[in-house]
Amino acid sequence: MLPFDPESLHIYDTTLRDGTQQEGLSLSVADKLAVARHLDDLGVGFIEGGWPGSNPKDAEFFRRAQTELHLRGAKLAAFGSTRRASKAAADDPQVAALRDAGTPVVCLVAKSDRRHVERALRTTLAENLAMITDTVVHLRAEGKRVFVDAEHFFDGHRADTAYALEVVRAAAEAGAEVVVLCDTNGGMLPTQIGDTVRAVLDATGARLGIHCHDDSGCAVANSLVAVQAGVTHVQGAANGYGERCGNANLFTVVAGLETKLATPVLPSGRLRELVRVSHAIDEITNSTPDSHRPYVGASAFAHKGGLHASAVKIDPDMYQHIDPALVGNDMRMLVSELAGRATIELKGRELGLDLSGEKEALGRIVELVKEREANGFSYEAAEASFELLLRDEVYGPERFFTLDSWRVIVEQRSDGEVVSEATVKLTTRGERHVSTAEGNGPVNALDKALREALGKAYPGLGDVDLTDFKVRILDGREGSGAVTRVLVETSDGQSRWDTIGVDENIITASWQALQDAVTYGLRRQGEQPDPEAS
């Protein structure tokens, strides 16, 4: 692998500008500053902060960035357009906003498709070239590094090759450090990208970059092919955020460059931060992490099939394209009806249990999992419930209480208010406890009553909360009498775990999941089981 040189291949992040055009994604100035810090931690070379001349939020971001954003390695870039037609660059307010943003880098967007010049800008082809030249020359004279995004370049190159090349030449000759070829509509395929990049390099000799959208599902592939064809500047957004189908996922591109093309684009050791940074930015943007994202997703190195597990047990590389630790991820074994003994053994090892000498128990567990999954359980979605099952089969049942009974009443009162009330009767540590609680629904009431009944014996349950509750009807043909699967997510403030219950009665299924959730939580807290409980 070549030595790391941040200037030899630019990694340019556009999350804070292009990424925020994603439907439903909105960032405050504080959010943008936080995202920028995470990107800097990862080691990207350039962070595009926004368009300072377009809205007050971006103007405030650049103002605050000058005193609050202390980047260790990344360089902040301001994005904006070339001067208006028939107006001097020095007198254009938008250019002034770029000049005064306080960034060492400015990225200009310029039209490179003659149809956009004539129909959108409503100016001449010659004036568009003059707008590019004048703006680049002006900003260069102000001491800025200038990159030019040639918007709609690939469509423009197909429509009028000669003019698209003139745009590249004009920008480069005026002093633009990089001319970025943009697949703005996201419709190109890898072969088209590669052929066009090589042709433009041969015709202009300019330093080229690539900016791809994912409308054809090829943004990452197109970016990597462009690098192989000779570009030395890659743009993308964290987690693939962006308008319509999103931008090229910069994290996937970076991982591909480092692990597939042996091209170091991050400082040494930073690639291991990829998962952490990806999830941290999802948290800031209030986005649910996609478990199936390449490299960083929770399922990226998850193995479910029994044949896969057998091979992974011998050599993980046989079913993994890289070592997941390279990007800060980990291998996971999923337990399902497809599981074999190897899957269960590896999953046990993942949970800290050595099952290599438990052949009979492994056989029982495999059959039990298959039987239960046939009846509606899904242990890959409820690993806490699976761990309890595993321990029970290997070490014998361990219980913290004996249930005498539970009851739930749902009442609509004369004023229209609907109230749920649950009563739980149980015995623990030799004492019988009866607790009644009200809730905003039957499951909430049952959860409260269970915790209150156990609270005196196990005060640590006060730190455990139900954080999510999901219900799925498994057989819609039977209507309200269908089998119901309930998944419960629980947290103790430090970690979360998932448990499951399945029954024709939704409350019974919920009780199963709640009981597992409490049992798992007590195990985590180091509580000792009640030897008399059953």
Side-chain angles (χ1 to χ4, degrees):
M1 184 178 285
L2 297 172
F4 170 64
D5 177 3
E7 291 296 333
S8 66
L9 178 55
H10 294 167
I11 298 300
Y12 184 104
D13 182 274
T14 185
T15 303
L16 303 182
R17 198 271 308 173
D18 213 359
T20 60
Q21 295 185 47
Q22 177 169 304
E23 184 176 3
L25 196 157
S26 179
L27 298 179
S28 67
V29 173
D31 291 335
K32 294 183 70 166
L33 291 168
V35 169
R37 293 185 186 103
H38 282 298
L39 293 169
D40 185 46
D41 287 343
L42 182 62
V44 303
F46 300 88
I47 299 171
E48 189 174 81
W51 190 325
S54 67
N55 62 80
K57 184 192 293 184
D58 281 1
E60 181 185 350
F61 168 81
F62 285 105
R63 185 170 62 252
R64 289 177 58 179
Q66 294 184 48
T67 57
E68 298 179 35
L69 193 58
H70 306 291
L71 300 176
R72 295 185 300 167
K75 295 176 177 61
L76 193 62
F79 179 90
S81 63
T82 57
R83 68 161 173 81
R84 294 184 178 91
S86 303
K87 192 176 188 71
D91 299 328
D92 191 307
Q94 288 195 94
V95 177
L98 293 171
R99 184 184 63 228
D100 299 337
T103 64
V105 179
V106 170
C107 186
L108 294 170
V109 61
K111 300 294 186 185
S112 58
D113 185 335
R114 69 172 297 154
R115 298 167 299 180
H116 284 263
V117 174
E118 295 170 336
R119 299 176 195 174
L121 288 182
R122 297 184 179 182
T123 191
T124 66
L125 300 181
E127 176 63 9
N128 181 56
L129 295 176
M131 291 159 61
I132 296 169
T133 298
D134 294 349
T135 311
V136 173
V137 168
H138 173 72
L139 291 171
R140 290 284 289 135
E142 294 291 325
K144 305 292 185 181
R145 297 177 65 177
V146 180
F147 305 152
V148 172
D149 278 4
E151 190 181 34
H152 294 281
F153 181 83
F154 292 93
D155 295 318
H157 188 267
R158 289 200 298 187
D160 187 336
T161 299
Y163 186 73
L165 292 175
E166 281 302 305
V167 168
V168 175
R169 292 191 187 97
E173 291 170 5
E177 187 175 324
V178 179
V179 182
V180 184
L181 310 184
C182 300
D183 183 18
T184 310
N185 290 336
M188 295 293 116
L189 299 178
T191 52
Q192 296 169 313
I193 293 286
D195 290 345
T196 303
V197 167
R198 281 185 285 269
V200 175
L201 280 172
D202 289 343
T204 68
R207 181 174 186 177
L208 301 180
I210 188 71
H211 178 114
C212 294
H213 285 255
D214 204 33
D215 299 72
S216 60
C218 294
V220 169
N222 286 345
S223 301
L224 294 174
V225 164
V227 172
Q228 291 179 307
V231 308
T232 55
H233 171 110
V234 181
Q235 297 189 0
N239 297 322
Y241 301 149
E243 193 174 18
R244 305 185 312 277
C245 302
N247 286 268
N249 187 330
L250 193 66
F251 297 158
T252 311
V253 172
V254 163
L257 288 169
E258 292 230 354
T259 67
K260 305 299 182 183
L261 300 182
T263 304
V265 292
L266 300 177
S268 178
R270 300 285 183 87
L271 188 63
R272 290 193 294 271
E273 297 294 307
L274 204 63
V275 170
R276 181 190 65 79
V277 171
S278 170
H279 291 185
I281 293 176
D282 268 335
E283 188 71 26
I284 294 169
T285 61
N286 197 29
S287 303
T288 302
D290 182 353
S291 63
H292 300 287
R293 280 185 190 138
Y295 297 100
V296 301
S299 299
F301 301 95
H303 304 278
K304 184 172 179 177
L307 287 175
H308 284 214
S310 297
V312 167
K313 182 180 175 182
I314 298 169
D315 182 357
D317 291 342
M318 293 174 69
Y319 275 94
Q320 295 184 158
H321 67 110
I322 64 166
D323 177 359
L326 292 174
V327 293
N329 212 331
D330 199 1
M331 182 181 74
R332 293 171 54 234
M333 300 308 300
L334 302 180
V335 178
S336 73
E337 75 280 2
L338 301 178
R341 294 183 183 223
T343 303
I344 303 298
E345 185 178 342
L346 285 171
K347 187 63 183 178
R349 188 183 305 169
E350 186 180 307
L351 297 171
L353 304 174
D354 183 4
L355 305 180
S356 57
E358 304 286 348
K359 291 185 178 180
E360 291 186 10
L362 286 172
R364 290 196 310 271
I365 294 166
V366 168
E367 294 307 314
L368 184 58
V369 167
K370 291 181 178 180
E371 177 186 344
R372 291 195 176 184
E373 294 238 344
N375 291 329
F377 284 79
S378 177
Y379 285 110
E380 66 182 88
E383 292 193 352
S385 285
F386 174 72
E387 182 174 343
L388 294 177
L389 179 152
L390 192 66
R391 291 181 179 277
D392 282 356
E393 289 298 317
V394 175
Y395 304 117
E398 293 181 332
R399 301 288 180 262
F400 293 88
F401 63 90
T402 299
L403 176 69
D404 297 330
S405 68
W406 58 260
R407 179 180 63 187
V408 176
I409 299 172
V410 180
E411 175 187 12
Q412 180 170 323
R413 295 174 177 169
S414 59
D415 61 358
E417 182 183 10
V418 177
V419 177
S420 297
E421 180 184 282
T423 300
V424 172
K425 302 176 183 179
L426 55 81
T427 302
T428 183
R429 309 286 189 204
E431 293 187 19
R432 190 167 188 266
H433 300 275
V434 178
S435 179
T436 299
E438 290 187 349
N440 57 16
V443 177
N444 180 239
L446 193 61
D447 178 49
K448 287 182 176 180
L450 174 59
R451 293 169 194 275
E452 287 180 11
L454 290 172
K456 291 183 180 179
Y458 305 106
L461 279 179
D463 298 328
V464 175
D465 295 307
L466 189 156
T467 55
D468 199 6
F469 175 79
K470 297 184 179 73
V471 176
R472 182 179 175 187
I473 303 302
L474 299 181
D475 189 353
R477 293 173 301 176
E478 298 180 14
S480 60
V483 174
T484 302
R485 175 193 294 158
V486 170
L487 287 169
V488 166
E489 182 186 77
T490 308
S491 173
D492 59 3
Q494 297 180 340
S495 61
R496 299 173 185 269
W497 57 92
D498 298 292
T499 52
I500 190 170
V502 175
D503 197 88
E504 291 182 0
N505 186 306
I506 187 174
I507 308 302
T508 302
S510 300
W511 170 262
Q512 294 171 5
L514 290 173
Q515 183 173 255
D516 274 6
V518 167
T519 300
Y520 187 85
L522 291 172
R523 285 184 182 277
R524 278 184 55 82
Q525 292 178 346
E527 296 284 0
Q528 294 301 309
D530 182 353
E532 297 181 2
S534 61

